[in-house]
Amino acid sequence: MRIIGNDWDEVLGEEFDKPYYQELRIFLDGEYRSRTIYPLPQYIYTALRLTPYKDVKVVILGQDPYHEPGQAHGLAFSVNKGIEIPPSLVNIYKELQDDLGCSIPNHGCLVEWAKQGVLLLNAVLTVQAHRANSHKGRGWERLTDTIIQKVNEKEEPVVFILWGSNARSKKQFITNQKHLVLESVHPSPLSAYNGFFGSRPFSKTNRFLEENGIQPIDWQIR
């Protein structure tokens, strides 16, 4: 079944045939017909389409998509150009500047990261408008947990960046000793000053990649 359009289809092929995924599809069909749901259906799998399995170097885990108009486009923490940069991403940019000296962009689109092998994956891939976490427990977690487990199986070292309790709960799936796990509190304004600022995840990631002979990420968003 061709859903993603790259090697993820082979990696995840069996998942798309399982009863839970078929039930999720039926649920989503009803939701998109009767409510405002983000992102648009064609953008649900943007993270996987932009970052093929073979290219994954870094995984950054989010909770679920932004739930206000125009924001969500299938990448965790990212928003379309022209949309106000959300507070958590503002703090991510601040830490990036402090960590690597990168200038703060005038937009919040993180496609440049995704194209370099940074999988910007939310645990839940859809949401009702104005209702954060409204599609929790509908089956997305089973799929995205599988995605994390499949990345864990990669022979090449990968960096997993886990911000906040929701992301950190996924550490149980990262058992391959080749990989690096970086954890901190969430970058939201409610918690960023309790350990996110100063955690230097970007320089730590690049140091690990370079030590393993892997091209580092150019974190500067242009």
Side-chain angles (χ1 to χ4, degrees), residues 117-132:
V118 181
L119 182 62
L120 296 162
L121 181 69
N122 280 315
V124 174
L125 300 186
T126 54
V127 68
Q128 287 182 20
H130 319 302
R131 292 189 60 202

Side-chain angles (χ1 to χ4, degrees), residues 60-75:
I60 297 180
L61 292 176
Q63 179 173 283
D64 66 338
Y66 295 121
H67 52 80
E68 297 302 326
Q71 291 182 314
H73 65 133
L75 297 177

